[in-house]
């Protein structure tokens, strides 16, 4: 059965943290559907425009094995403030599906909405993000704990993407 991954983006998402997982997951033979909370076209934090596959109101977590949330500011804030995105992420987390967040998103989206149930996590090493994670913060580039995968930022995008594949039992072809 082909694994299916929902990737949620918003205006201000960090491009490398969105594109790298989408690319690696697709290279592994899984389906990665990009959902936007901002409209069909999303302008990333560095001005790169990404065309979403679908809008967030079309996301049904029954159809997906995992959800991926890139960071970037204000992308993480835009995702954290979108009720449909938060509802989908909460459902995935509650059902034990893989929830992967990188950079600002472990703190802003997951911890900020009370969704980070892992005992250990990491995020971009800004003091306010670290304090949002509290004692869960490990400072690692990538942290995998229970059904959560977290990572610290753009430099960890490839390792983050490979950890998602590992968790899903798929291997990218490169």
């Amino acid at each position: 059965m082909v694994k299916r991954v929902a990737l949620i983006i918003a205006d201000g998402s960090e491009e490398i943290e969105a594109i790298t997982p989408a690319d690696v997951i697709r290279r592994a033979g899984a389906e990665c559907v990009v959902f936007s909370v901002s409209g069909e076209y999303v302008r990333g934090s560095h001005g790169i425009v990404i065309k979403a596959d679908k809008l967030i109101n079309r996301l049904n977590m029954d159809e997906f094995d995992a959800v991926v949330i890139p960071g970037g500011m204000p992308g993480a804030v835009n995702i954290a403030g979108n009720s449909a995105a938060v509802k989908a992420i909460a459902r995935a987390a509650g059902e034990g599906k893989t929830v992967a967040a990188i950079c600002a998103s472990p703190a802003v989206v997951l911890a900020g909405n009370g969704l980070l149930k892992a005992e250990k996590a990491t995020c971009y090493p800004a003091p306010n993000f670290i304090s949002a994670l509290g004692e869960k913060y490990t400072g690692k580039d990538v942290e995998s704990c229970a059904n959560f995968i977290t990572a610290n930022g753009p430099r960890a995008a490839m390792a983050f993407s490979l950890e998602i594949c590992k968790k899903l039992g798929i291997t990218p072809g490169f």
Side-chain angles (χ1 to χ4, degrees), residues 135-158:
E135 294 180 7
K136 295 178 183 196
Y137 180 73
T138 65
K140 292 184 178 179
D141 286 350
V142 177
E143 187 68 67
S144 184
C145 183
N147 58 312
F148 290 86
I149 301 167
T150 54
N152 68 2
R155 76 169 182 222
M158 182 59 80

Side-chain angles (χ1 to χ4, degrees), residues 7 15-34 157-158 161-162 165 170-174:
L7 190 146
E15 295 92 341
I16 197 169
E17 298 167 1
I19 297 300
T20 304
D23 183 281
V24 171
I25 290 163
R26 288 176 182 181
R27 287 174 187 252
E31 184 177 357
C32 183
V33 181
V34 179
M158 182 59 80
S161 302
L162 292 171
C165 289
I170 57 178
T171 305
F174 52 73

Side-chain angles (χ1 to χ4, degrees), residues 48-147:
I48 298 170
V49 176
I50 301 168
K51 183 182 183 298
D53 298 313
K54 297 182 180 186
L55 299 180
I56 194 68
N57 63 351
R58 303 277 312 277
L59 176 52
N60 177 356
M61 281 309 300
D62 286 340
E63 301 172 1
F64 293 91
D65 302 292
V67 62
V68 177
I69 311 121
M73 294 297 274
V77 170
N78 292 335
I79 294 168
N82 182 281
S83 61
V86 171
K87 182 178 174 184
I89 296 163
R91 183 165 181 203
E95 292 177 357
K97 295 182 179 186
T98 299
V99 176
I102 185 170
C103 195
S105 287
V108 175
V109 178
L110 298 182
N113 282 294
L115 302 176
L116 185 59
K117 305 301 181 193
E119 293 177 14
K120 298 184 291 181
T122 194
C123 62
Y124 188 80
N128 57 326
F129 297 156
I130 292 170
S131 67
L133 296 187
E135 294 180 7
K136 295 178 183 196
Y137 180 73
T138 65
K140 292 184 178 179
D141 286 350
V142 177
E143 187 68 67
S144 184
C145 183
N147 58 312

